[in-house]
Amino acid sequence: MKHPPVSWAFSVALIATSANLSLAASPDLRRPPDGGAVMVYDRDYPFIHYSDPPVRNDIARLQQRIDSGSVTLTATPQHGYLESILKALNINPDSQTLVFSKTSLQVDAISAATPRAIYFNDDTYVAWVQKTGKLEIVTMDADRGPVFYTVSAADSRADLEREALRCLTCHDSYSEMGGGVPRFLFESTYEVRHGKLIPDAVARETADDTPFAERWGGWYVTGQDGGAPHLGNIKPPAANSPVAFDVVRRGSLASLDSLLDTSAYLRNTSDIVALLVLEHQVTVHNLIVRANFKSRMLLARLLPARDAATLHWAQLPPTVQTRLDQLLGPVVDGLALRNAAPLPDTVVASNGYAAWFQAQGPKDSHGRSLRELDLHSRVFRYPLSFLIYSEGFDALPLLVREHLYEKLAHTLRATPDGQTAFEILLATKREFSQEVKTLRD
């Protein structure tokens, strides 16, 4: 970066406890020990303003359209406002994934026979449970990270009500010790030890680096998995004790009709490609949220007299650059898919989700896109996440984006596939192309 230097004096941080992305009904642990009304985030990260009404997300904008009368949501007897909201948010029903863990505001209605359905696009996740009439929604707000909403079919007009305290009890990391950040969670229950399934194992977070064999405990999975073992489609054993994995393991399923009555759902699938994309999104969104909260906190502490929104990376003192570089390393790794676990074999979608996802763009003049899927040895064809186009990424401080662009440019150009990703980004994201030009100059 070549920006004019400046000098100054400066002084030197959906859970599923079993297996889902959810709103969790649990006691409020988000308030400070003195019992005051201020949320922990407002104390630890006052510059985020987490308690204030979020406005930079899909749901807040949808509510504005409802209030203005430009959008009217319609409830159906079976699904409530589900279809109407999915259409308004451009969420494809083929994104449906089904999970039967009992962690939700509607826990009593969830079972292996009546799993919870989750539908999603790049930023928003909508969850529906049979016969409850209530939707649970979590969306990525550019400024505040994950924010939570519910809407009930009992309401004559769809009002998307914000949830916070109950959800954040679980959708956080190290919250009771302070300094936690809101986050999306995708977890898998079960594990396999010495050839036996352990049904009461502690749920573990699933991310890009999770081996294929350790994914999807508590989830249904459809599509071709190439014969590679995973924990999907295994219903909770009647006795909560170890059982031979080969006895309960199921192979590829084209649909879920043989496992449950799917007539109540929008699809009879829980697509394997949708699950892989969902896990990737959760991984990268969490990295972006943490980078946003922590970088702003670090800058506020180290450079309290400066406005981070106006600073360029090259204007930072070397000691501050070093601290931020360490903080942002995992974001570079996540965006560049450095630690993504390989696919053990080819996977094939069970519905139209994969084609729909790849069609979303943006594409360069050669028709290439960061959304292109590989599905043979890895999920994505090119080693760069499509979430670099996201509103959450664009809301990171300018100096953070500059540094990430520089690190990514260096990383991508080191391999042939990375070079292609570099070219695609250069053609499809103006800020990146401007930053690269500045670096070259």
Side-chain angles (χ1 to χ4, degrees):
M1 291 297 305
K2 293 185 178 180
H3 298 290
V6 66
S7 61
W8 57 83
F10 64 96
S11 59
V12 176
L14 298 130
I15 193 173
T17 49
S18 292
N20 84 9
L21 186 74
S22 76
L23 301 174
S26 48
D28 172 17
L29 299 178
R30 296 304 310 158
R31 297 185 185 278
D34 62 5
V38 177
M39 289 184 64
V40 170
Y41 297 138
D42 296 325
R43 182 192 67 195
D44 293 346
Y45 308 99
F47 36 82
I48 295 294
H49 307 290
Y50 191 85
S51 293
D52 291 351
V55 296
R56 297 182 64 189
N57 67 74
D58 289 347
I59 301 303
R61 287 186 284 263
L62 175 58
Q63 186 66 62
Q64 292 173 352
R65 291 157 62 198
I66 294 170
D67 293 341
S68 70
S70 62
V71 168
T72 300
L73 300 184
T74 304
T76 66
Q78 186 170 34
H79 297 126
Y81 287 106
L82 177 62
E83 290 105 323
S84 194
I85 281 183
L86 296 186
K87 182 178 180 181
L89 296 174
N90 189 33
I91 295 178
N92 190 330
D94 284 342
S95 68
Q96 174 180 287
T97 60
L98 299 181
V99 59
F100 47 83
S101 68
K102 288 180 171 291
T103 48
S104 166
L105 293 175
Q106 304 161 104
V107 59
D108 293 337
I110 299 172
S111 69
T114 58
R116 193 163 175 260
I118 297 172
Y119 307 87
F120 66 98
N121 59 17
D122 290 3
D123 294 300
T124 300
Y125 309 83
V126 179
W128 173 82
V129 181
Q130 288 190 48
K131 299 180 181 179
T132 64
K134 179 174 285 189
L135 301 179
E136 301 170 356
I137 303 170
V138 56
T139 189
M140 176 72 164
D141 185 84
D143 297 318
R144 294 169 177 83
V147 289
F148 308 87
Y149 298 86
T150 59
V151 60
S152 175
D155 299 332
S156 58
R157 193 189 91 140
D159 285 314
L160 298 149
E161 298 182 7
R162 187 182 180 193
E163 287 275 352
L165 300 175
R166 289 182 296 174
C167 306
L168 289 165
T169 300
C170 296
H171 283 268
D172 195 351
S173 56
Y174 313 114
S175 60
E176 294 180 69
M177 294 182 285
V181 300
R183 64 196 312 228
F184 302 91
L185 283 183
F186 187 119
E187 296 193 346
S188 176
T189 190
Y190 307 154
E191 66 176 281
V192 176
R193 300 179 199 157
H194 309 297
K196 290 191 174 182
L197 181 81
I198 312 299
D200 60 350
V202 176
R204 291 178 291 183
E205 188 170 354
T206 300
D208 273 351
D209 60 354
T210 302
F212 195 84
E214 297 176 12
R215 301 189 185 202
W216 307 322
W219 295 80
Y220 287 119
V221 184
T222 57
Q224 297 179 30
D225 55 27
H230 57 77
L231 301 173
N233 299 326
I234 301 175
K235 296 183 180 181
N240 200 22
S241 56
V243 59
F245 179 59
D246 288 342
V247 172
V248 295
R249 175 190 167 194
R250 288 187 170 91
S252 297
L253 297 174
S255 77
L256 297 173
D257 294 334
S258 63
L259 298 185
L260 68 148
D261 179 4
T262 61
S263 62
Y265 296 89
L266 301 185
R267 298 289 186 269
N268 64 352
T269 54
S270 181
D271 186 59
I272 190 170
V273 177
L275 283 163
L276 290 168
V277 173
L278 176 58
E279 289 161 333
H280 170 71
Q281 287 189 191
V282 167
T283 299
V284 176
H285 273 318
N286 284 338
L287 291 169
I288 291 173
V289 172
R290 184 176 185 274
N292 188 33
F293 276 60
K294 297 295 186 180
S295 65
R296 292 179 187 276
M297 179 185 69
L298 189 65
L299 290 166
R301 289 181 178 177
L302 300 184
L303 307 171
R306 301 296 300 180
D307 180 3
T310 64
L311 286 176
H312 294 285
W313 179 265
Q315 296 173 306
L316 298 176
T319 53
V320 179
Q321 288 183 344
T322 299
R323 294 281 296 275
L324 283 171
D325 182 65
Q326 293 171 345
L327 172 66
L328 298 174
V331 185
V332 176
D333 291 344
L335 288 169
L337 307 174
R338 279 179 169 170
N339 300 318
L343 297 179
D345 209 325
T346 298
V347 302
V348 180
S350 57
N351 59 27
Y353 174 78
W356 175 85
F357 172 81
Q358 293 180 97
Q360 300 307 298
K363 299 181 180 181
D364 69 6
S365 61
H366 301 288
R368 301 176 299 186
S369 168
L370 296 181
R371 291 178 180 270
E372 291 182 52
L373 299 169
D374 178 88
L375 302 182
H376 297 293
S377 60
R378 56 194 182 193
V379 178
F380 299 100
R381 180 174 181 180
Y382 302 116
L384 181 61
S385 174
F386 63 94
L387 289 177
I388 198 167
Y389 301 117
S390 68
E391 191 175 10
F393 179 90
D394 289 342
L396 290 169
L398 172 62
L399 63 90
V400 169
R401 300 198 307 275
E402 289 174 343
H403 186 60
L404 292 175
Y405 287 144
E406 182 175 359
K407 300 287 281 190
L408 285 169
H410 176 76
T411 298
L412 294 173
R413 302 186 75 177
T415 65
D417 284 341
Q419 175 64 32
T420 302
F422 174 84
E423 294 169 2
I424 293 171
L425 191 60
L426 202 64
T428 56
K429 193 171 179 70
R430 177 177 296 181
E431 187 179 62
F432 178 74
S433 64
Q434 292 173 337
E435 181 65 17
V436 170
K437 183 178 184 300
T438 301
L439 289 170
R440 287 172 175 170
D441 293 342

